[in-house]
Amino acid sequence: MRYPRLLPLLLLLGVLLPAHAQARAHHVRHLIVVLDPGHGGGDPNEKYVGAVDASGTLVEAHLTFLVATRAAKDLRSMGYTVFLTRKSVNLQANYPLRDLNRDGTIDQLDDYDARTLFANRHHADVFVSIHFDGAAGDPSMHGTHGYYCPNRPFWKKSKRLASILTASVSKSLTASGYASPNNGIGTDVADRVPQRFADYPWFFVLGPSWKKRITGTAMPGALIESLYLSSPRDVTALRRPATIPALARGYAQGIRAYFGGKTTR
Ligand SMILES: [Zn+2]
């Protein structure tokens, strides 16, 4: 009488054990990188293209997409899983247009929200927002600098990420034949551009959640200003075919260095 009663249990164990072993194997997963190419098209009434050079031909939204696409390729060949917040060079992240933050309007806040929600939904281990800067009054400003948000639980990791990335990007540019300085990092609060809301002094893609405005990312992140589109020397460099691949390599190698060379967890 005892064996027939044990039989279903043994059968059950036979089914469960391999499944459990399988589940353990799946726990070793590739690290997930979300790259966020800054700006983008979409609503023609909104100026989402970001900085533009003096000739009007180098557009931040396009350059960020080119760099991100190339960096994604580099990172995938290293063994990372990579997702981009934008699907096309001409589209913003919030596409099709949705009122993601449920504040009753569809505006640029929803576009920022699309980027952070995307990173959370894809369980990213790291979030990297790729930008180019423009300093209207000062064409002598050039080189790479980065930002992190000090008001997050993982701010130390974000700070380290920003620091590694600015160093890696400027090093890669220099290796490609364009001697470009690493201008270091700062907090997003310290950015010279006036913030949209006085009571939210952070970058929307880096800062904490704020009801009906933005959902903060659940992982460390940094925003990097790759080069200045207002700098004649940076713009000249960007017209060389080697520069976009060098920027992309700088991001990819920097992200790998942030993970200490590891590609899985
Ligand atoms: Zn930008």
Side-chain angles (χ1 to χ4, degrees):
M1 284 297 113
R2 285 161 78 179
Y3 290 111
R5 263 198 296 181
L6 270 175
L7 195 62
L9 182 67
L10 287 170
L11 281 171
L12 190 66
L13 274 175
V15 171
L16 283 179
L17 280 175
H20 181 65
Q22 222 174 22
R24 278 172 69 100
H26 277 264
H27 271 113
V28 179
R29 69 156 174 83
H30 290 265
L31 289 164
I32 298 166
V33 177
V34 164
L35 297 178
D36 174 42
H39 309 274
D43 187 342
N45 296 316
E46 294 271 1
K47 296 242 179 280
Y48 280 177
V49 294
V52 181
D53 80 316
S55 75
T57 53
L58 289 180
V59 177
E60 184 179 0
H62 297 169
L63 294 172
T64 58
F65 193 80
L66 290 178
V67 172
T69 307
R70 181 93 185 198
K73 207 175 137 196
D74 291 349
L75 284 160
R76 284 180 190 124
S77 74
M78 292 173 178
Y80 295 99
T81 299
V82 189
F83 301 104
L84 262 61
T85 57
R86 279 165 57 198
K87 295 293 161 271
S88 133
V89 69
N90 288 314
L91 291 176
Q92 63 183 90
N94 184 26
Y95 187 84
L97 296 172
R98 293 149 294 174
D99 178 16
L100 290 170
N101 62 9
R102 298 196 197 95
D103 68 345
T105 59
I106 298 173
D107 59 11
Q108 198 161 10
L109 277 180
D110 295 295
D111 186 49
Y112 293 130
D113 212 18
R115 297 166 199 260
T116 57
L117 290 169
F118 180 92
N120 291 349
R121 195 164 65 243
H122 287 80
H123 307 288
D125 294 292
V126 77
F127 175 85
V128 175
S129 193
I130 298 172
H131 283 250
F132 287 81
D133 213 345
D138 190 355
S140 74
M141 290 182 81
H142 63 278
T144 307
H145 65 125
Y147 295 103
Y148 70 98
C149 180
N151 192 33
R152 307 303 311 276
F154 38 71
W155 68 271
K156 280 186 183 166
K157 286 181 178 173
S158 298
K159 184 180 181 181
R160 189 173 152 264
L161 174 69
S163 178
I164 288 173
L165 283 173
T166 55
S168 178
V169 167
S170 65
K171 190 177 154 198
S172 181
L173 285 169
T174 300
S176 80
Y178 177 50
S180 183
N182 170 12
N183 297 327
I185 60 166
T187 67
D188 52 356
V189 182
D191 188 36
R192 295 169 303 277
V193 179
Q195 308 276 4
R196 182 161 164 182
F197 298 97
D199 44 352
Y200 191 89
W202 303 288
F203 288 175
F204 286 108
V205 294
L206 299 181
S209 293
W210 194 18
K211 202 170 183 247
K212 295 228 172 166
R213 294 216 167 83
I214 191 84
T215 301
T217 61
M219 74 293 302
L223 185 151
I224 307 299
E225 304 280 10
S226 311
L227 287 170
Y228 282 85
L229 295 185
S230 50
S231 155
R233 57 172 277 175
D234 281 2
V235 163
T236 301
L238 279 165
R239 296 194 189 285
R240 293 173 50 222
T243 302
I244 295 288
L247 285 167
R249 207 156 43 239
Y251 279 100
Q253 289 171 346
I255 288 164
R256 181 167 61 183
Y258 167 80
F259 287 126
K262 283 201 282 187
T263 59
T264 57
R265 60 177 246 173

